[in-house]
Amino acid sequence: MTSNRTADLGFARLDLDRAGRTGTPEVVYAAGKTPTQTVACLAALLDGGARPAWATRVDDATASAILERWPDAVVDQEARCAFVGGLPAPVGNVLVLTAGTSDGPVAAEVAATLAASGVGCTRVDDVGVAGVHRVLAVAPDLAAADAVVVVAGMDGALPSVVAGLTDRLVVAVPTSVGYGAAFEGLAALLTMLTACAPGVLVVNIDNGFGAGVAAARIVRSAQR
Amino acid sequence: MTSNRTADLGFARLDLDRAGRTGTPEVVYAAGKTPTQTVACLAALLDGGARPAWATRVDDATASAILERWPDAVVDQEARCAFVGGLPAPVGNVLVLTAGTSDGPVAAEVAATLAASGVGCTRVDDVGVAGVHRVLAVAPDLAAADAVVVVAGMDGALPSVVAGLTDRLVVAVPTSVGYGAAFEGLAALLTMLTACAPGVLVVNIDNGFGAGVAAARIVRSAQR
Amino acid sequence: MTSNRTADLGFARLDLDRAGRTGTPEVVYAAGKTPTQTVACLAALLDGGARPAWATRVDDATASAILERWPDAVVDQEARCAFVGGLPAPVGNVLVLTAGTSDGPVAAEVAATLAASGVGCTRVDDVGVAGVHRVLAVAPDLAAADAVVVVAGMDGALPSVVAGLTDRLVVAVPTSVGYGAAFEGLAALLTMLTACAPGVLVVNIDNGFGAGVAAARIVRSAQR
Amino acid sequence: MTSNRTADLGFARLDLDRAGRTGTPEVVYAAGKTPTQTVACLAALLDGGARPAWATRVDDATASAILERWPDAVVDQEARCAFVGGLPAPVGNVLVLTAGTSDGPVAAEVAATLAASGVGCTRVDDVGVAGVHRVLAVAPDLAAADAVVVVAGMDGALPSVVAGLTDRLVVAVPTSVGYGAAFEGLAALLTMLTACAPGVLVVNIDNGFGAGVAAARIVRSAQR
Amino acid sequence: MTSNRTADLGFARLDLDRAGRTGTPEVVYAAGKTPTQTVACLAALLDGGARPAWATRVDDATASAILERWPDAVVDQEARCAFVGGLPAPVGNVLVLTAGTSDGPVAAEVAATLAASGVGCTRVDDVGVAGVHRVLAVAPDLAAADAVVVVAGMDGALPSVVAGLTDRLVVAVPTSVGYGAAFEGLAALLTMLTACAPGVLVVNIDNGFGAGVAAARIVRSAQR
Amino acid sequence: MTSNRTADLGFARLDLDRAGRTGTPEVVYAAGKTPTQTVACLAALLDGGARPAWATRVDDATASAILERWPDAVVDQEARCAFVGGLPAPVGNVLVLTAGTSDGPVAAEVAATLAASGVGCTRVDDVGVAGVHRVLAVAPDLAAADAVVVVAGMDGALPSVVAGLTDRLVVAVPTSVGYGAAFEGLAALLTMLTACAPGVLVVNIDNGFGAGVAAARIVRSAQR
Amino acid sequence: MTSNRTADLGFARLDLDRAGRTGTPEVVYAAGKTPTQTVACLAALLDGGARPAWATRVDDATASAILERWPDAVVDQEARCAFVGGLPAPVGNVLVLTAGTSDGPVAAEVAATLAASGVGCTRVDDVGVAGVHRVLAVAPDLAAADAVVVVAGMDGALPSVVAGLTDRLVVAVPTSVGYGAAFEGLAALLTMLTACAPGVLVVNIDNGFGAGVAAARIVRSAQR
Amino acid sequence: MTSNRTADLGFARLDLDRAGRTGTPEVVYAAGKTPTQTVACLAALLDGGARPAWATRVDDATASAILERWPDAVVDQEARCAFVGGLPAPVGNVLVLTAGTSDGPVAAEVAATLAASGVGCTRVDDVGVAGVHRVLAVAPDLAAADAVVVVAGMDGALPSVVAGLTDRLVVAVPTSVGYGAAFEGLAALLTMLTACAPGVLVVNIDNGFGAGVAAARIVRSAQR
């Protein structure tokens, strides 16, 4: 039976047993919270047993506040994530591809999420379809992966090509990279939703965290 | 090494080895094709080894043409799918939930896709969040599933609630059910993409086929 | 019979008898006005009899200008509201729920509006549907309320669940919290407009003021 | 304590105790259901105790099927609603205004919903702001109402004017009446959401049912 | 016969005879131009005979550069316009109404454009429909006007009401005042385009200049 | 002083004195009304003194019903308008231009509206900017006009060019002619709103009636 | 020097010298014209010297009317085009690729346009990126082409891949093939506009005619 | 046979043989890269043989870093481009037109791209359709060009007019110049996609680079 403990901080009611129910603890979304609020949430989650306690969309001020409180916290600047309480040993292997260098921060959030979830990760950057031989060259990586995350902005065409090359599930992350008719990631989002190859599942624009959680669930599912 | 045989029908160039590469054969999208074209595609896929050869978005005229050519074809009217060449024995179990009765045809397409992919399926309909006890009542089904597909139109809120109750991957399918500000499924699509619970992955509006293929990959991944 | 006195300040023509006609005085929308203009409007409304005279979307400069003129003014920083002339004693009880901590400032504007309208308020924060037991736990609060205001960004799914649990009117406030496909509150707005549970009424994105005025009217209607 | 009985029809799981929880029984949304499915749902709701059992978006075929099964059913053609099991005696009074004649069917759905909810209704049609004296002329009706529902398409300007004339809550229903930049009701929806007068709450485009349920809750709230 | 002299400044080719052809000289749109470019354009237009030479969307740096070159230039800060070479004596009378104080800068651009065009202007601010008696009170101003310009943000409902009260042409200017579903003026724009009263013509969001030019043409047309 | 007589038909409340107030009588918008309702409205307007009584968006059934009641009614099939009670003698001259042949029905509605308003009209069709000499060739017509109405679909570029050639007011009517990125007239609407030449005023997509009323007001203004 | 003859048919003013100016004669857009109007336009263009005179978006009724008047007209049913007066001998070679069978009718319009323009064409269908080896297999066709036209619906990803494989100009035609988030071709349009490979130019959704004209200009340019 | 060398910098995998395949080398998109990353990419491309190695969207910090490393680099500030390794001698002639002065930076990017591609360029600015004689005056430039690039914001009407005057291919570049209903370039984009004159091909908003590459391909195609 599931227990449903809650930590009530006044401004937040933390769901302490979410990891037990869903495999992922409640994670603090630091955007829109003060550094003090984020630290208080992390402390409560630690107290509740989360390993690691974990925040996303962490800006510099919040990162400093976390490191001041927990000097051994792990802060991943590219991913804008922070982890307190240690990272688990990784199992399995998720392949994370980016279409371009500018998609790097979102891919970093995927990788950090996998690390916090105890899942291994192979990252290959800048595999744009404008040089399709670069895509074909990742065939061995595809064969070695439990699941694939594809991060792409602008035309968002990479998942369509990758999904035609593998029987692994492809988690597609549109990014807000691009300008004009990219409409802050809308073009890539629509491309991925209408991908002509099946086996492509989509998360929100720039949502590396969600893609990482999903990929971790696939790996864990394979190990159940 | 992958082989890449192609069947060139003039109006179509079928990818005969897609099942070998991706686990799913090329499937005929019958919308926008004549019945004759769909039958010709199915015949070529059968010749190429597909079991089953398979078409989606099949209207009545196309269904008749298929049954005339292959009297033992399986036509699923609710799902608008047709299968030729026999269905494989199912393994694993995917839970398919709908928020309302009107979402039924899309859920039927999910179920038919799973059947053609050799994956088992449990379907529970009309589990809308307006009566949240109905959602809580599916907890045993969630525990017994390898993956979950949630089909919902209108506000599309069901995947957010379900993903908070399980550690299985949740594949969310927005449907075009609704009117006005539902904007033909756009409201549900945006809701699912911004779901406050992680572990939700989204496919195109009304894309039961894509959700089924993805869920089948998860099950197969668990059995690799 | 209604009287229709107007105070003409040149840059503004204030509707002094609006409270008499509508139960709510004209309230100064400080965004787009200079601090001097806002102070002048408040003074004219005070002269016209408003208790309190009241401004929304008050930034720091405007707050300072108000406090300089009326040292006993009440400034609610989280809600960005200012009140001059005293607050009435509260009657009734409106339950104000937020889906997440980041929705706090909008909920604060609801609460401030209720206070200025002489209506009591119970606020419960961070009741997201990803931990649906937190929603179920507010059942006693629902039973004790005259009306409910639900404030939610991202997927905006909370009002759909709440409206299925109560016979009170649910006023839903979408917020601009979220990123990507949240489209500055559009996703939550569409979700709320298409809520599968009836009894949900919607105001503009981030419009805590409008929700508060509406909830106050419900309470007053119950006391007529 | 609330009970949560469910009637499982296979294609639908009806929420039999929704009236107890929310004051409104589960109502059958007939669009997207076959006449047979709608009749089966109504029968189950009747068995479950609903008085009346009730369906919306009823087309001619469904209306005939209902009348064949229950010859004394009430079918409101303009509102496209059907009621089985008798209508309650009305209490209270809701004023329903339309901006133009073409908004009539949506106003009819509001009125039918109020009737089924046991709430009285006064309807005044064609009160467009292009002849603002017609709006001013409804002042006595406003004073006699417990709540106001305003139904308007095209520019959707009527709720802004009405809300400035009354202290009653104004429930605004945008309709899909209009062409071109009316964008199927989007223009009216945005107008109502941004109404310069507070006290306006909005439902989905053409959602007369939702407006009626909400207005009934206001009346009941006043009588609690 | 029309002459078509052009002044070629390299970065700009000014249309020196536009006033002869269209009644309005080429006006410098200073947004996107450097102060130096704007001054050079004004000088060339002066040389070409424009009285006044005229720039819109003038920021502080550009205003300073203009005043340094022509100390007797007229700079209207609220309207962000600058005029060099003297303003003509006004004829006729255009009534300029705003729905709210925040619409003032756009109304100022209308008034400045009329002044530069040699047309008289009466301005009445803050005539919102939430206090419809304020609208009715401008009846004498309407009767005395050759044309009416209505400037409104948020719900943009004012032109619909005004056009029902007068036989003058109503030029409607949506503004970007508002938040959320106002979508930077889109809501007001759609409202005005779908106004239920005929006789309403619409210009771009915040386009006080265009409204002023149009109103001046109406006045001149009446005096031809 | 204005009188404000109203004819209450139950389903409609007609504004009998609108012509006195605004120069244009209330006109029946027949879309969304039954033929019987339209005839009843026309009869009431005739009784109220309208000459002509007038309906727009008249389909074949409504046209037949009108001609059966008033055999001498004028029905303009291209414009989908009907007039009862005689047309006034025309004064003044409005030039109506179309960009293409497919824009004809909207231009016909402009012309019919002018005729009913007692204003003369010169119509020149198919003056697209792809052959700009055709536009230049209408210079004499521009010089002879009191105002110009430009009707264009697809790219909607014609008003920008015309407004650079004349000092007359240009009323621009976007049409829903086109496909794909024309988005049912949205492309032309945006083009016209952002026309680089001032003096362009815009009405709703396909709103020939509104353009005609506006142009008539300009002519009348010139004759006051 | 260019001459600018015009044929005035009342409902249309045909630009007889457009071929001389632009290389392409005025072509009749039959959608929105009656069969009689289309035939009259073709006759006038023939008289004016067009070889062929040419109509697009021809429905069955119009095709019949054309063949009745000119029994030797060429009607291409898939492309919905008709040509009168003979087709020129082809020079050069344009490669026309489609991503799927359903894109066929648009590709047919491209091919028909090239034929009418005297340009040769090689067509390869169903080259979707989900089987990227099919794309790589067209390398010899790319090398033999003067220009490439790529026709694709759904995700519209094919031009991005093709443009990375060739130094020919790629004209991309989004089609309305797809459903849901394809939004009638919008997804493919945005994908193509944001293609990560340069050298991709885009036309309107389903605009095979425009793509053909453009490709013909490239070929002619190469032969000047 | 094509070779496909790749330079793997960790954060980027550069496609060294793209110039051989497509005629244009991989170009560094500096937005979203650090100055150090951009310099590293340029160095690797130089090593791989690119002449010039080339970056777009270069801000001041990146420009400084480039000039520090390669003092003889060419930095075009208006175009925000940098070139290392020398520019080729130009052949052919592309006419680049702008509708207004504010479109200058995008036109500069077109010109810089042509220079780096070894193609000549004639630039004529501020040729807006509001003074259509300015457009007609470029006829000699059109006759002397191999291809035309038209850069326009706001209404984006210029390509429609130009394409009717020439048989050259017209590459249309919408810009984000404008406000309100220009929607950051969307209005101009839609106008250009629906241009009533064929022969217009469109690139992304503000994409001067893409337009330049395309125009260079046309010139090279003419010289093959």
Side-chain angles (χ1 to χ4, degrees):
Chain A
M1 198 203 138
T2 345
S3 71
N4 282 316
R5 293 173 301 143
T6 298
D8 193 340
L9 309 186
F11 64 91
R13 292 157 64 91
L14 297 165
D15 184 357
L16 297 178
D17 290 313
R18 192 177 294 176
R21 288 199 323 277
T22 73
T24 313
E26 174 148 10
V27 171
V28 185
Y29 177 67
K33 295 200 180 64
T34 63
T36 306
Q37 286 178 325
T38 297
V39 165
C41 288
L42 288 172
L45 290 165
L46 268 181
D47 283 354
R51 291 296 175 279
W54 171 9
T56 64
R57 309 270 160 154
V58 170
D59 61 17
D60 289 351
T62 300
S64 299
I66 291 171
L67 287 167
E68 189 173 349
R69 172 73 178 266
W70 298 283
D72 59 344
V74 175
V75 173
D76 181 327
Q77 283 198 311
E78 190 187 10
R80 292 184 297 157
C81 291
F83 307 94
V84 185
L87 292 172
V91 297
N93 178 34
V94 172
L95 177 64
V96 179
L97 302 175
T98 66
T101 301
S102 307
D103 301 315
V106 177
E109 196 183 49
V110 178
T113 303
L114 290 167
S117 304
V119 172
C121 166
T122 302
R123 184 168 157 191
V124 184
D125 281 341
D126 203 12
V127 194
V129 300
V132 77
H133 56 281
R134 293 180 297 189
V135 186
L136 298 174
V138 299
D141 300 298
L142 288 167
D146 293 310
V148 188
V149 177
V150 180
V151 183
M154 299 172 78
D155 60 13
L158 185 55
S160 296
V161 176
V162 170
L165 298 172
T166 179
D167 62 350
R168 269 60 177 175
L169 202 65
V170 175
V171 178
V173 191
T175 72
S176 53
V177 169
Y179 59 89
F183 290 124
E184 306 290 325
L186 179 62
L189 173 63
L190 297 184
T191 306
M192 291 169 178
L193 286 167
T194 57
C196 52
V200 177
L201 296 175
V202 186
V203 296
N204 193 6
I205 298 164
D206 291 337
N207 188 6
F209 170 66
V213 168
R217 287 196 185 187
I218 299 168
V219 171
R220 280 202 220 100
S221 165
Q223 294 177 341
R224 225 175 353 239
Chain B
M1 196 203 140
T2 346
S3 71
N4 281 317
R5 293 172 301 142
T6 299
D8 193 340
L9 309 186
F11 64 90
R13 292 157 65 91
L14 297 164
D15 184 356
L16 297 179
D17 291 312
R18 193 178 293 176
R21 287 199 325 276
T22 73
T24 314
E26 175 149 7
V27 171
V28 185
Y29 177 66
K33 292 198 181 68
T34 63
T36 306
Q37 286 178 326
T38 297
V39 165
C41 288
L42 288 172
L45 289 164
L46 267 181
D47 284 355
R51 290 295 174 279
W54 173 8
T56 64
R57 309 272 158 151
V58 169
D59 61 16
D60 289 351
T62 301
S64 298
I66 291 170
L67 287 167
E68 189 172 349
R69 172 75 177 265
W70 297 282
D72 59 346
V74 176
V75 173
D76 182 329
Q77 282 197 313
E78 190 187 11
R80 292 184 296 159
C81 292
F83 307 94
V84 185
L87 292 171
V91 298
N93 178 33
V94 172
L95 177 63
V96 180
L97 302 175
T98 67
T101 302
S102 307
D103 301 315
V106 176
E109 196 183 50
V110 178
T113 303
L114 289 167
S117 303
V119 172
C121 166
T122 302
R123 184 169 157 190
V124 184
D125 280 341
D126 202 12
V127 194
V129 299
V132 77
H133 55 282
R134 292 181 299 188
V135 185
L136 299 174
V138 299
D141 299 299
L142 287 168
D146 294 307
V148 188
V149 177
V150 180
V151 183
M154 299 172 79
D155 60 14
L158 185 55
S160 295
V161 177
V162 169
L165 297 172
T166 181
D167 61 349
R168 270 59 178 177
L169 200 66
V170 175
V171 179
V173 191
T175 72
S176 52
V177 168
Y179 60 90
F183 291 124
E184 306 289 324
L186 179 63
L189 173 63
L190 297 183
T191 306
M192 292 170 177
L193 286 167
T194 57
C196 52
V200 177
L201 297 175
V202 186
V203 296
N204 193 7
I205 298 163
D206 291 337
N207 188 8
F209 169 67
V213 167
R217 287 196 185 187
I218 299 169
V219 171
R220 279 202 220 99
S221 164
Q223 294 175 341
R224 220 169 2 231
Chain C
M1 199 202 139
T2 345
S3 69
N4 282 316
R5 294 171 301 141
T6 299
D8 193 340
L9 309 186
F11 65 90
R13 292 158 66 90
L14 297 164
D15 183 358
L16 297 179
D17 290 313
R18 193 177 293 176
R21 288 199 322 277
T22 73
T24 312
E26 174 149 9
V27 171
V28 186
Y29 178 68
K33 294 201 181 63
T34 64
T36 306
Q37 287 178 325
T38 297
V39 165
C41 288
L42 288 172
L45 290 165
L46 269 180
D47 283 356
R51 292 295 175 279
W54 172 9
T56 63
R57 308 272 159 154
V58 169
D59 60 18
D60 288 351
T62 300
S64 299
I66 291 169
L67 287 166
E68 190 173 347
R69 171 75 177 266
W70 298 282
D72 59 346
V74 175
V75 173
D76 181 328
Q77 282 198 312
E78 190 188 11
R80 292 184 296 159
C81 291
F83 308 94
V84 185
L87 292 172
V91 297
N93 178 32
V94 172
L95 176 64
V96 180
L97 302 174
T98 66
T101 301
S102 307
D103 301 315
V106 177
E109 196 184 49
V110 178
T113 302
L114 290 167
S117 304
V119 171
C121 166
T122 301
R123 184 168 157 191
V124 184
D125 280 341
D126 203 12
V127 195
V129 299
V132 77
H133 56 281
R134 294 181 297 189
V135 185
L136 298 174
V138 300
D141 300 298
L142 287 169
D146 294 309
V148 189
V149 176
V150 180
V151 183
M154 299 171 79
D155 60 12
L158 185 56
S160 296
V161 176
V162 169
L165 298 172
T166 180
D167 63 348
R168 269 61 177 175
L169 201 65
V170 176
V171 178
V173 191
T175 72
S176 52
V177 168
Y179 59 89
F183 292 124
E184 305 291 325
L186 179 63
L189 173 63
L190 297 184
T191 306
M192 291 169 178
L193 286 167
T194 58
C196 50
V200 177
L201 296 174
V202 186
V203 296
N204 193 6
I205 298 164
D206 291 336
N207 187 7
F209 169 67
V213 167
R217 288 198 184 186
I218 299 169
V219 171
R220 280 202 219 100
S221 165
Q223 294 176 343
R224 219 169 3 232
Chain D
M1 198 203 139
T2 347
S3 71
N4 282 316
R5 293 170 304 141
T6 299
D8 194 339
L9 309 186
F11 64 90
R13 291 158 66 90
L14 297 164
D15 184 357
L16 297 179
D17 290 313
R18 192 176 294 175
R21 288 199 322 279
T22 73
T24 313
E26 174 149 8
V27 171
V28 186
Y29 177 67
K33 293 199 182 65
T34 64
T36 306
Q37 286 178 326
T38 297
V39 165
C41 289
L42 288 172
L45 290 164
L46 269 180
D47 282 356
R51 290 295 174 281
W54 172 9
T56 63
R57 309 272 158 152
V58 169
D59 61 16
D60 289 351
T62 300
S64 298
I66 291 169
L67 287 166
E68 190 173 348
R69 172 73 177 268
W70 298 282
D72 59 346
V74 175
V75 173
D76 181 328
Q77 283 197 312
E78 191 188 9
R80 292 184 297 158
C81 292
F83 308 95
V84 185
L87 293 171
V91 298
N93 178 32
V94 172
L95 177 63
V96 179
L97 302 175
T98 66
T101 302
S102 307
D103 301 315
V106 176
E109 197 183 49
V110 178
T113 303
L114 290 167
S117 304
V119 172
C121 166
T122 302
R123 184 167 157 192
V124 184
D125 281 340
D126 202 12
V127 194
V129 300
V132 77
H133 56 282
R134 293 181 297 190
V135 185
L136 298 174
V138 299
D141 300 297
L142 288 168
D146 294 307
V148 188
V149 177
V150 180
V151 183
M154 300 171 77
D155 60 13
L158 185 56
S160 296
V161 177
V162 169
L165 298 172
T166 181
D167 62 350
R168 270 59 178 176
L169 201 66
V170 175
V171 178
V173 191
T175 71
S176 52
V177 168
Y179 59 90
F183 290 125
E184 306 289 325
L186 179 63
L189 172 63
L190 297 183
T191 307
M192 291 169 179
L193 286 167
T194 58
C196 51
V200 177
L201 297 174
V202 187
V203 296
N204 193 6
I205 298 164
D206 291 337
N207 187 8
F209 170 68
V213 167
R217 287 197 184 187
I218 299 169
V219 171
R220 280 202 219 99
S221 165
Q223 294 177 342
R224 223 175 354 238
Chain E
M1 198 204 140
T2 346
S3 72
N4 282 316
R5 292 172 301 142
T6 300
D8 193 341
L9 308 186
F11 65 91
R13 292 156 67 90
L14 297 165
D15 184 356
L16 297 179
D17 290 313
R18 193 178 292 176
R21 286 199 324 275
T22 73
T24 314
E26 174 148 10
V27 171
V28 185
Y29 177 67
K33 294 199 181 64
T34 64
T36 307
Q37 286 178 325
T38 298
V39 165
C41 288
L42 288 173
L45 289 165
L46 269 181
D47 283 355
R51 291 296 174 281
W54 174 7
T56 64
R57 309 271 159 153
V58 169
D59 60 17
D60 289 351
T62 300
S64 299
I66 291 170
L67 287 166
E68 190 174 348
R69 171 75 177 267
W70 298 283
D72 60 347
V74 175
V75 173
D76 181 327
Q77 282 197 312
E78 190 187 12
R80 292 184 297 158
C81 292
F83 307 94
V84 185
L87 291 172
V91 298
N93 179 34
V94 172
L95 177 63
V96 179
L97 302 174
T98 67
T101 301
S102 307
D103 302 315
V106 176
E109 196 183 49
V110 178
T113 303
L114 290 167
S117 304
V119 171
C121 167
T122 301
R123 183 168 157 191
V124 184
D125 280 341
D126 203 13
V127 194
V129 301
V132 77
H133 56 282
R134 293 181 297 189
V135 186
L136 298 174
V138 299
D141 300 298
L142 287 168
D146 293 308
V148 188
V149 176
V150 181
V151 182
M154 299 172 80
D155 61 11
L158 185 54
S160 296
V161 177
V162 169
L165 298 172
T166 180
D167 61 350
R168 271 59 178 175
L169 202 66
V170 176
V171 178
V173 191
T175 72
S176 52
V177 168
Y179 60 89
F183 291 124
E184 306 290 326
L186 180 62
L189 173 63
L190 297 184
T191 306
M192 291 170 178
L193 286 168
T194 58
C196 52
V200 177
L201 297 175
V202 186
V203 296
N204 193 6
I205 298 163
D206 292 336
N207 187 8
F209 170 66
V213 168
R217 287 196 184 187
I218 299 169
V219 171
R220 280 203 219 98
S221 164
Q223 294 177 341
R224 211 157 24 219
Chain F
M1 198 203 139
T2 346
S3 71
N4 282 316
R5 294 171 300 143
T6 299
D8 193 339
L9 309 186
F11 63 90
R13 293 158 65 92
L14 297 165
D15 185 357
L16 297 179
D17 290 313
R18 192 176 295 175
R21 289 200 322 277
T22 73
T24 314
E26 175 149 8
V27 171
V28 185
Y29 177 67
K33 294 199 181 64
T34 64
T36 306
Q37 287 178 325
T38 297
V39 165
C41 288
L42 288 173
L45 290 165
L46 269 181
D47 283 355
R51 291 294 175 281
W54 172 9
T56 63
R57 309 272 159 152
V58 170
D59 61 17
D60 288 351
T62 300
S64 298
I66 291 170
L67 286 167
E68 190 173 348
R69 172 74 178 265
W70 298 282
D72 60 346
V74 175
V75 173
D76 181 327
Q77 283 198 311
E78 190 186 11
R80 292 184 297 159
C81 292
F83 308 94
V84 185
L87 292 172
V91 297
N93 179 34
V94 172
L95 177 63
V96 180
L97 302 175
T98 67
T101 301
S102 307
D103 302 314
V106 177
E109 196 183 50
V110 178
T113 303
L114 290 168
S117 304
V119 172
C121 167
T122 301
R123 184 168 158 192
V124 183
D125 281 341
D126 202 14
V127 195
V129 300
V132 77
H133 56 282
R134 293 181 297 189
V135 185
L136 298 175
V138 298
D141 299 298
L142 288 167
D146 294 308
V148 188
V149 177
V150 180
V151 183
M154 300 172 78
D155 59 13
L158 185 56
S160 296
V161 176
V162 169
L165 298 172
T166 181
D167 61 351
R168 270 61 178 175
L169 202 65
V170 175
V171 178
V173 191
T175 71
S176 53
V177 169
Y179 60 89
F183 290 125
E184 305 291 324
L186 179 63
L189 173 63
L190 297 183
T191 306
M192 291 170 179
L193 286 167
T194 58
C196 52
V200 177
L201 296 174
V202 186
V203 296
N204 193 6
I205 298 164
D206 292 337
N207 188 7
F209 170 67
V213 168
R217 287 197 184 187
I218 299 168
V219 171
R220 280 203 219 99
S221 165
Q223 294 176 342
R224 217 164 11 225
Chain G
M1 199 203 139
T2 345
S3 70
N4 281 318
R5 293 170 302 142
T6 299
D8 194 340
L9 309 186
F11 64 91
R13 292 157 65 92
L14 297 164
D15 184 358
L16 297 179
D17 290 312
R18 192 177 294 175
R21 288 199 323 277
T22 73
T24 313
E26 175 148 9
V27 171
V28 186
Y29 177 67
K33 293 199 182 66
T34 63
T36 306
Q37 286 178 325
T38 297
V39 165
C41 288
L42 288 172
L45 289 164
L46 269 181
D47 283 355
R51 291 295 174 278
W54 173 7
T56 64
R57 308 273 158 150
V58 170
D59 61 16
D60 288 352
T62 301
S64 298
I66 291 170
L67 286 167
E68 190 173 347
R69 171 74 177 266
W70 298 282
D72 59 345
V74 176
V75 174
D76 180 329
Q77 282 197 312
E78 190 186 11
R80 292 184 297 158
C81 291
F83 307 95
V84 185
L87 292 172
V91 298
N93 178 33
V94 172
L95 177 64
V96 179
L97 302 175
T98 67
T101 302
S102 307
D103 301 315
V106 177
E109 196 183 50
V110 178
T113 303
L114 289 167
S117 304
V119 171
C121 166
T122 301
R123 185 169 157 191
V124 183
D125 280 341
D126 203 12
V127 194
V129 300
V132 77
H133 55 282
R134 293 181 297 189
V135 186
L136 299 174
V138 299
D141 299 298
L142 288 168
D146 293 308
V148 188
V149 177
V150 180
V151 183
M154 299 173 78
D155 60 13
L158 185 56
S160 296
V161 177
V162 169
L165 298 171
T166 180
D167 62 351
R168 269 60 178 177
L169 202 65
V170 175
V171 178
V173 191
T175 72
S176 53
V177 169
Y179 59 91
F183 291 124
E184 305 290 324
L186 180 62
L189 173 63
L190 297 184
T191 307
M192 291 170 179
L193 286 167
T194 57
C196 51
V200 177
L201 297 175
V202 186
V203 296
N204 193 8
I205 298 163
D206 292 337
N207 187 7
F209 170 66
V213 167
R217 287 197 185 185
I218 299 168
V219 170
R220 279 202 220 99
S221 164
Q223 295 177 341
R224 218 165 8 228
Chain H
M1 201 203 136
T2 346
S3 70
N4 282 317
R5 293 171 302 141
T6 299
D8 194 340
L9 309 186
F11 64 90
R13 291 157 65 91
L14 297 164
D15 184 358
L16 298 179
D17 290 313
R18 192 178 292 177
R21 287 199 324 276
T22 72
T24 314
E26 175 148 8
V27 171
V28 186
Y29 177 67
K33 294 200 180 64
T34 64
T36 306
Q37 286 178 326
T38 297
V39 165
C41 288
L42 288 173
L45 289 165
L46 268 181
D47 284 355
R51 291 295 175 277
W54 172 7
T56 64
R57 309 272 159 153
V58 169
D59 60 16
D60 288 350
T62 300
S64 300
I66 291 171
L67 286 166
E68 189 174 348
R69 172 74 177 267
W70 298 282
D72 59 346
V74 176
V75 173
D76 181 328
Q77 282 197 312
E78 189 187 12
R80 293 184 296 158
C81 292
F83 307 95
V84 185
L87 293 171
V91 297
N93 179 33
V94 171
L95 177 64
V96 179
L97 302 175
T98 67
T101 301
S102 308
D103 301 315
V106 177
E109 196 183 48
V110 178
T113 303
L114 289 168
S117 303
V119 171
C121 166
T122 301
R123 184 169 157 191
V124 183
D125 280 341
D126 203 13
V127 194
V129 300
V132 76
H133 55 282
R134 293 182 297 190
V135 186
L136 298 175
V138 299
D141 299 298
L142 288 168
D146 293 309
V148 188
V149 176
V150 180
V151 183
M154 299 172 78
D155 61 12
L158 185 56
S160 296
V161 177
V162 169
L165 298 172
T166 180
D167 62 349
R168 269 61 178 175
L169 202 66
V170 175
V171 178
V173 191
T175 72
S176 53
V177 169
Y179 59 90
F183 292 124
E184 306 290 325
L186 180 62
L189 173 62
L190 297 184
T191 307
M192 291 170 178
L193 286 167
T194 58
C196 51
V200 177
L201 297 175
V202 186
V203 296
N204 193 6
I205 298 164
D206 291 336
N207 188 7
F209 170 66
V213 167
R217 287 198 184 185
I218 299 169
V219 170
R220 279 203 219 99
S221 165
Q223 296 178 341
R224 223 171 0 235

